[in-house]
Amino acid sequence: MTHGYPTGTGTGPEPAPSPYGITPQQPNGIPGMPYGVPQQRTAESAPAAEPVTAPVPRKPGRDRYLDLLRSLALVRVVVYHLFGWAWLTVLFPSMGVMFALAGSLMARSLNRPAMSVIRGRVRRLLPPLWAFSAVVLALMFANGWNPLKDPNLDGTWGLASLFNYIVPIGAPPFPWHIGSKSGLLEDTWAVQAAGVLWYLRAYLWFVVASPLLLWAFRRAPWPTLLAPLGLTAIVGTGLVIIPGETGNAVTDFAVYGSCWVLGFAHNDGMLKKIPRYVAVSGASLVMAFGLWWASNHLGPDGWDLNDIPLAQATWSFGFVVILLQYSPSWQELPGRLAKWDRLVTLSNNRAVTIYLWHNLLIMATVPIIDLAYKLPFMQSERAVGALDSAYTIWMFALVWPLIGLMVMAVGWVEDLAAKRKPRLWPNGVKRSVGTQPRSRAAHRG
C-alpha cells in the first residue's frame, strides 16, 4: 500500500544484492530496481471529552469524494512501486489514506451486528487473496521452492506459515531468490509479489479490532484517536523493540491506527464539529513534526517515509485530517472530474485485485519489453540506447493494460466474494438491449 509498503516479509538473514541492485529494506519496500518493492515491515492524557453516543446521519449511497481518494491512492501505489520515488510518500501518503477510508466504511457498517460485519469484510477479502496465492505459490513450487528446505525458514514452522496465504494473520513465507537471473522474471520476484500482503494483514487486524476500537472511540474520542501515535513513538523509534514479524505487525497497526480511527471520526461527523482553522492548523503542526523527525532519521532511501515509522504516522495523520476536513461528500464527481467517473468506479470495484496483482504485473512488463530488443530495427546501438533510457517509461505505459487484463481475468472473484453477479468490467456503465451504454456511478456494495 504504511508505506509504499512495509518491509521484512520474510525471515532469516538478508540476501545478497540482486543484479538489479535490489536489497531488502527495513520497513517498507525493496529499493533499487527500476521498480521498488514493498516489504513486511517490511503525552500527557488529553482532557476527557464528551462521549460520542451516536453518529451523525449520512446520506445513502457512495461518497464519490472518498472513491476518488481511493483511486488516487491506488495509482500512487503503482507509480511508487514502479519508479521508487521516495518523495511520493510525502506528496501523497496513500496507505494512510486507504486505511482512513476503510475505517470510515467500517464504522458505517458497524450499525449492524459486529460479527456479521466482520464476517462480511473477511469474506470479501479472502477469495481474491486465494486466487492470488494460488498463482504465486504454483510459480514458487514450479521453480523448485520447498519451504521445508528453505534455510531462511524454520522447517515445519515454515510449512505451517503457508497458512498466511489463506488467512493473512501473519507474514507469508517466500524464497528470497528463486529461478534464474536470466529467466523470464528477475530472481527476487517472489519477494516483490508477496511483499504487498502486509497490507491485507494490517487490514484484517483492524477489521477484527474495529468493534472494540469504535466502542472506545465513542466513549473517549481523543485518547482513542491519539493512542496509536503514542504507541508508534514507543515501538516505531526503537525505544521498545519487538522482534520478528510480531514487531512488524504491531508497528504497522500503530502507524496506521490513528488514520483508521480518523475514518471513525469522519463517519460520525466529529471532524465537522471542529473549526476548520483549528483542525488544519493542528494537522499542519503534526505534519511539520513528522517532517522534522524524518529529516533527522533518514533511511536508506532518504525521505521515504516507509522507512521512518513515526514520521509516516504523523505525516499521514495530519494529511488525512486535512483531506477529511475538506470532504465535500459528492454524490457525483463534479466538473472536469466527471470524465474520470468510469475509471474511478472501476478502480473502487476492483481495488483489492489491482492492489494484489500490480507488483507482479510490473515485473511482467520486463520480459515483454525485452522482446523489443530482438526487432530488426532495434539492432543499432542508438536504438538500444534509446530503449534503455526510456525503459521505465515503457514499463509504466505497459503495466496499465496488464492491470486491465488482470481485472477481467480474476477481478470477478471480488463479485463472488461480495455475493454479487460476476462482472468483467464494472465501470458503472449499464448496458440494456437496444440502448446505448450510459455511465453512472456504480455501487461497490
Side-chain angles (χ1 to χ4, degrees):
M1 214 184 322
T2 81
H3 338 232
Y5 295 166
T7 69
T9 45
T11 57
E14 290 189 357
S18 78
Y20 291 86
I22 300 180
T23 53
Q25 87 184 41
Q26 225 3 49
N28 297 334
I30 297 179
M33 214 164 160
Y35 41 92
V37 175
Q39 332 123 303
Q40 302 260 1
R41 287 180 303 221
T42 111
E44 191 176 301
S45 298
E50 288 292 326
V52 181
T53 56
V56 174
R58 292 173 59 83
K59 295 181 180 180
R62 299 290 304 190
D63 187 328
R64 299 301 279 167
Y65 175 71
L66 300 187
D67 287 347
L68 177 63
L69 291 181
R70 186 178 292 103
S71 298
L72 290 174
L74 285 170
V75 171
R76 205 285 277 160
V77 165
V78 175
V79 173
Y80 170 82
H81 284 132
L82 176 59
F83 293 99
W85 291 331
W87 54 267
L88 285 174
T89 64
V90 178
L91 178 67
F92 194 85
S94 60
M95 305 314 295
V97 171
M98 290 173 70
F99 280 117
L101 301 182
S104 179
L105 292 175
M106 189 68 186
R108 187 175 183 179
S109 298
L110 282 172
N111 292 326
R112 308 193 303 273
M115 287 308 300
S116 67
V117 173
I118 292 174
R119 284 196 301 269
R121 286 288 185 270
V122 173
R123 187 189 69 238
R124 292 186 182 203
L125 179 70
L126 295 186
L129 170 63
W130 295 340
F132 175 79
S133 297
V135 172
V136 170
L137 287 174
L139 289 173
M140 290 180 189
F141 294 145
N143 280 274
W145 180 58
N146 184 344
L148 289 173
K149 298 180 180 179
D150 192 323
N152 293 321
L153 301 178
D154 186 17
T156 304
W157 176 247
L159 185 64
S161 62
L162 289 174
F163 180 75
N164 290 303
Y165 282 103
I166 302 174
V167 180
I169 57 177
F174 50 80
W176 285 104
H177 297 278
I178 188 170
S180 169
K181 295 180 180 179
S182 59
L184 285 178
L185 294 177
E186 184 268 337
D187 70 339
T188 61
W189 68 265
V191 182
Q192 320 261 353
V196 300
L197 296 182
W198 74 267
Y199 173 77
L200 273 68
R201 175 186 66 190
Y203 177 84
L204 184 61
W205 281 36
F206 280 126
V207 165
V208 172
S210 281
L212 178 60
L213 286 174
L214 187 59
W215 176 86
F217 172 74
R218 288 177 174 168
R219 283 154 182 78
W222 288 106
T224 306
L225 183 62
L226 299 177
L229 295 179
L231 180 59
T232 305
I234 296 173
V235 301
T237 62
L239 187 62
V240 172
I241 298 176
I242 303 175
E245 285 304 324
T246 300
N248 290 334
V250 171
T251 301
D252 290 342
F253 191 89
V255 168
Y256 298 106
S258 288
C259 290
W260 187 273
V261 178
L262 276 174
F264 295 170
H266 172 73
N267 177 77
D268 287 7
M270 173 183 167
L271 294 179
K272 295 298 184 183
K273 297 178 182 179
I274 302 173
R276 179 169 290 177
Y277 76 91
V278 173
V280 173
S281 299
S284 299
L285 290 175
V286 174
M287 294 169 72
F289 169 81
L291 291 183
W292 171 80
W293 181 268
S295 69
N296 291 282
H297 299 82
L298 298 180
D301 294 314
W303 283 87
D304 192 327
L305 299 186
N306 293 316
D307 299 334
I308 317 169
L310 185 57
Q312 177 75 285
T314 50
W315 179 261
S316 297
F317 177 84
F319 197 95
V320 169
V321 166
I322 294 173
L323 285 180
L324 296 183
Q325 177 65 227
Y326 281 87
S327 176
S329 298
W330 294 325
Q331 296 299 302
E332 295 184 356
L333 294 178
R336 295 182 179 180
L337 291 175
K339 66 182 180 180
W340 300 100
D341 182 85
R342 295 182 184 181
L343 287 178
V344 169
T345 299
L346 177 67
S347 63
N348 277 266
N349 277 307
R350 294 293 180 259
V352 177
T353 299
I354 294 170
Y355 178 80
L356 278 173
W357 292 91
H358 78 274
N359 235 20
L360 193 57
L361 296 176
I362 287 173
M363 289 180 287
T365 64
V366 174
I368 297 174
I369 297 173
D370 283 350
L371 295 174
Y373 288 102
K374 299 180 181 180
L375 296 174
F377 56 84
M378 288 295 299
Q379 302 311 305
S380 70
E381 192 172 312
R382 182 177 179 181
V384 170
L387 182 56
D388 286 345
S389 63
Y391 203 98
T392 52
I393 301 300
W394 283 107
M395 292 174 68
F396 177 79
L398 186 56
V399 72
W400 300 107
L402 290 181
I403 288 174
L405 289 174
M406 190 57 67
V407 162
M408 291 190 289
V410 299
W412 50 268
V413 175
E414 291 195 56
D415 292 325
L416 293 181
K419 297 184 176 180
R420 292 190 298 250
K421 182 180 179 181
R423 300 164 293 173
L424 286 181
W425 197 253
N427 65 347
V429 176
K430 296 180 180 179
R431 298 182 181 276
S432 302
V433 177
T435 62
Q436 294 297 319
R438 297 179 62 187
S439 174
R440 211 80 250 122
H443 295 294
R444 212 182 110 161

